[in-house]
Amino acid sequence: MDDRPAPRVGLVSLGCPKALVDSERIMTQLRAEGYELSKTYRGADVVIVNTCGFLDSAKAESLQAIGEAMAENGKVVVTGCMGAQPEQIRDAFPNVFSITGPAKYEAVVEAVHRAAPPVHDPFVDLVPPQGLKLTPRHYAYLKISEGCNNRCTFCIIPQLRGDLVSRPAGDVLREAEKLVKAGVKELLVISQDTSAYGIDMRFQESLWGDRQVRTKFLDLCRELGSLGVWTRLHYVYPYPHVDEVIPLMAEGKILPYLDIPLQHASPNVLKAMRRPAHQEKTLERIRRWREICPDITIRSTFIAGFPGETDADHEFMLDWLDEAQLDRVGCFPFEPVSGAPANELGPVVPDDVKKARHRRFMERQEKISARKMKNKVGKRFQVLIDHADGALGRGRTKGDAPEIDGSVNVRSRLPLRVGEIVTVKIERADAHDLWGVAA
């Protein structure tokens, strides 16, 4: 056995939950090989920076993080979406140790091996069966595919991560099972286009337990719903086959929650965006979902000021918002992305107009959200506790995803524990959060 101290690895993970899952896989592999995790750059033998390259502002944040790691440590391995276009990184930091693109786990691990050779004790089990997680112990992101077949004009994800590559259903379900056995209470299903899951594999079957399961959106949801924990669906496009999953929500098998990145409502803008699915039928589809599952929560994101968006297009989106009555909504002023076709579209919406449209959109949604939240007062909800301090805590209902949605502030007669699910009677609300007492 090698008597050298175990090498230490620092990590900063930027961007979306999909990138966070990549970071978890990298650290799980390194931990299995005997590496230790360092909380500081200076205490590390090498630092991994998992970058985001979706927006120019995200690239700037990534470059700043690389610069901080270079200044404090000097031996830096860069990976992630920005790594797929390494020239900008090399121009700013020519002495970066290694640059790899997204989901290149083996290349990252190999670079770490070169920067700080491993010391491994084969007689010690260093990694729990579910792997290492960068989220709290009671919830975890479950990535079911890589890449995307869509060609939205504002997005360069297919350039960075390639076309859709689904994971076999058996692999996904085995990972989910390990997470549940380790104490995870909530699985957050993510991919670039969750509802397209399995299309690339022609819904091929794979073995899970004693039976074959199709690599298909509905089949995966049904099986995940059998594990007895909260299952939340993110990044779902309103394809017709999504209708088949709503009864599972009504039956309590998976959470009555859909995260649908609609981006706009005007047919003219949606056409310019090259958005997938039958967007013109989305309102009709939402009405039908609510008939089947009245408790369903629908969250979405929109873009204000997309190139060519007129005042009439924006008014159309505001009117659509009033009719759709979505539960959780985010809106972002359009930001050009280097290499995206949208940059060639026009006319460009001036920044002051973009900001004004964004403000109007959020003010309109604020009123909708405030009414919906007020309607929750006096009712009881199950709440998953994320933070606890004695008899005070903060958690989320089935209609709230971590980091992006609202919270429930809870008072209790008994001490609360992180990861427990309690019933809470709501006493008051604002446009985003709730306050209540554990019943």
Side-chain angles (χ1 to χ4, degrees):
M1 192 173 86
D2 200 326
D3 292 330
R4 288 179 295 147
R8 299 178 66 82
V9 180
L11 171 74
V12 57
S13 188
L14 305 173
C16 63
K18 293 179 285 293
L20 187 69
V21 173
D22 293 344
S23 296
E24 291 174 341
R25 290 180 179 174
I26 291 166
M27 296 312 294
T28 295
Q29 179 61 37
L30 291 173
R31 191 73 180 93
E33 296 178 356
Y35 288 86
E36 293 184 0
L37 309 185
S38 174
K39 294 182 179 180
T40 65
Y41 291 152
R42 292 184 180 178
D45 296 287
V46 59
V47 175
I48 301 170
V49 180
N50 192 354
T51 59
C52 179
F54 184 58
L55 298 173
D56 288 349
S57 57
K59 291 180 180 179
E61 182 184 11
S62 294
L63 289 172
Q64 181 181 351
I66 295 168
E68 291 173 357
M70 289 292 292
E72 292 194 38
N73 185 283
K75 194 175 285 188
V76 178
V77 173
V78 178
T79 187
C81 286
M82 193 173 179
Q85 300 171 325
E87 301 81 10
Q88 195 172 358
I89 299 171
R90 285 287 181 203
D91 288 344
F93 305 103
N95 295 323
V96 163
F97 188 83
S98 172
I99 302 175
T100 67
K104 302 294 185 183
Y105 315 119
E106 296 84 0
V108 174
V109 171
E110 188 273 332
V112 171
H113 287 173
R114 289 188 285 113
V119 177
H120 184 50
D121 182 352
F123 300 104
V124 179
D125 183 10
L126 298 172
V127 179
Q130 75 276 12
L132 299 184
K133 294 294 169 186
L134 299 173
T135 49
R137 183 174 178 269
H138 61 288
Y139 68 82
Y141 292 103
L142 184 67
K143 184 155 65 169
I144 63 173
S145 67
E146 287 285 357
C148 185
N149 287 342
N150 302 318
R151 294 296 183 264
C152 304
T153 55
F154 55 83
C155 180
I156 59 170
I157 291 298
Q159 298 175 37
L160 300 176
R161 290 182 173 262
D163 288 336
L164 176 71
V165 179
S166 300
R167 297 175 62 199
D171 291 354
V172 175
L173 291 166
R174 276 186 288 276
E175 180 182 347
E177 205 169 28
K178 289 178 182 177
L179 290 168
V180 172
K181 287 179 179 177
V184 165
K185 301 294 180 63
E186 178 181 13
L187 297 169
L188 299 115
V189 178
I190 57 169
S191 65
Q192 204 60 41
D193 181 356
T194 296
S195 37
Y197 175 67
I199 289 175
D200 57 308
M201 300 178 66
R202 298 184 180 180
F203 311 125
Q204 181 180 336
E205 292 185 341
S206 61
L207 185 66
W208 180 52
D210 59 354
R211 65 185 184 280
Q212 298 287 330
V213 179
R214 289 186 301 175
T215 299
K216 191 174 184 179
F217 180 59
L218 174 63
D219 299 62
L220 181 69
C221 290
R222 184 185 294 116
E223 300 299 342
L224 288 172
S226 71
L227 296 178
V229 298
W230 287 12
T231 298
R232 190 181 302 278
L233 302 178
H234 286 280
Y235 318 127
V236 177
Y237 290 96
Y239 300 122
H241 70 264
V242 173
D243 298 355
E244 300 171 338
V245 172
I246 307 304
L248 295 179
M249 298 180 179
E251 295 165 15
K253 299 293 176 57
I254 59 175
L255 291 187
Y257 179 100
L258 280 179
D259 181 352
I260 308 174
L262 294 169
Q263 308 301 5
H264 216 281
S266 165
N268 295 329
V269 178
L270 289 170
K271 184 177 179 181
M273 289 179 167
R274 282 195 225 150
R275 295 295 285 159
H278 300 284
Q279 297 280 358
E280 70 278 3
K281 297 182 179 179
T282 300
L283 275 178
E284 176 187 332
R285 185 152 281 125
I286 289 173
R287 290 192 197 99
R288 190 157 62 247
W289 292 345
R290 285 173 171 156
E291 289 173 1
I292 298 170
C293 182
D295 293 335
I296 192 171
T297 294
I298 301 173
R299 93 165 319 273
S300 189
T301 51
F302 292 80
I303 296 174
F306 189 80
E309 182 193 59
T310 64
D311 288 338
D313 291 325
H314 185 66
E315 288 296 330
F316 187 100
M317 183 161 66
L318 294 180
D319 292 342
W320 189 96
L321 201 63
D322 284 337
E323 192 165 359
Q325 293 287 301
L326 302 181
D327 301 271
R328 298 289 190 184
V329 175
C331 182
F332 306 92
F334 173 77
E335 183 178 330
V337 179
S338 299
N343 300 342
E344 309 303 320
L345 301 177
V348 174
V349 179
D351 284 346
D352 60 335
V353 176
K354 279 195 285 191
K355 291 177 182 176
R357 290 178 181 173
H358 171 260
R359 184 175 63 253
R360 289 184 64 203
F361 182 99
M362 293 310 297
E363 288 172 352
R364 185 72 62 95
Q365 177 59 31
E366 186 97 353
K367 294 177 182 178
I368 295 171
S369 180
R371 286 197 300 270
K372 283 182 166 285
M373 297 296 278
K374 186 177 180 181
N375 288 338
K376 298 179 188 294
V377 174
K379 297 179 180 178
R380 286 177 167 80
F381 295 91
Q382 284 188 307
V383 174
L384 177 60
I385 301 298
D386 289 329
H387 304 278
D389 183 7
L392 299 177
R394 188 169 71 254
R396 296 172 290 108
T397 70
K398 294 179 179 180
D400 298 300
E403 308 295 336
I404 55 175
D405 293 328
S407 297
V408 184
N409 298 282
V410 182
R411 291 182 292 108
S412 174
R413 288 175 298 175
L414 301 174
L416 296 167
R417 298 188 308 276
V418 171
E420 72 173 322
I421 297 175
V422 297
T423 300
V424 177
K425 183 178 181 181
I426 304 304
E427 297 179 322
R428 66 184 180 93
D430 63 17
H432 306 285
D433 299 321
L434 301 168
W435 284 260
V437 59

